[in-house]
Amino acid sequence: MHVDVTTDVVIDRAPSRVSSSAADPNHAPAWYVSIKSVEWRTPPRLAVGSRIAFVAHFLGRRIAYVYDIVEFHSGERLVMRTADGPFPMETTYAWHQTPDGGTHMTRGIEERLAGFPSGSRHL
């Protein structure tokens, strides 16, 4: 089963401020309710090639996975893919300035869940 979910929010702060906070994996447990812990597997500087381990709780289950940073344009876009975990997953963040100087932030998550028929699109 292929799951593709996009959420968005407008935040009354400059894109540089929003993106620097949202793109910092150390901040994830404070604003992402299911993430319980974060551990850097590479030196803690976000860049293409960085690797970060997360532990989340979802639907009563503990889920541990490692993300590789595959694209990073500071203040604009961040793309992470699972290098290790229970299923293939890709998460994309994008930040755009609103006309009044705030930030329109989107987060897209694509997952392919094991045990379900796969669709035509794979991660």
Side-chain angles (χ1 to χ4, degrees), residues 12-32:
D12 189 23
R13 299 282 184 267
S16 61
R17 188 168 176 193
V18 173
S19 65
S20 67
S21 180
D24 184 342
N26 294 318
H27 292 168
W31 67 271
Y32 199 128

Side-chain angles (χ1 to χ4, degrees), residues 80-114:
M80 306 180 288
R81 281 192 198 120
T82 49
D84 184 29
F87 45 83
M89 182 168 47
E90 179 175 289
T91 301
T92 301
Y93 292 89
W95 303 277
H96 302 283
Q97 186 167 321
T98 63
D100 63 353
T103 303
H104 179 222
M105 180 174 115
T106 59
R107 180 186 67 181
I109 300 174
E110 293 182 57
E111 300 173 350
R112 206 175 108 236
L113 304 174

Side-chain angles (χ1 to χ4, degrees), residues 4-58:
D4 190 352
V5 177
T6 300
T7 58
D8 67 325
V9 64
V10 175
I11 301 168
D12 189 23
R13 299 282 184 267
S16 61
R17 188 168 176 193
V18 173
S19 65
S20 67
S21 180
D24 184 342
N26 294 318
H27 292 168
W31 67 271
Y32 199 128
V33 69
S34 66
I35 296 179
K36 303 304 179 189
S37 68
V38 175
E39 178 187 333
W40 286 85
R41 296 289 173 91
T42 56
R45 180 181 163 273
L46 194 66
V48 171
S50 294
R51 192 170 264 210
I52 304 115
F54 292 88
V55 173
H57 287 210
F58 183 69

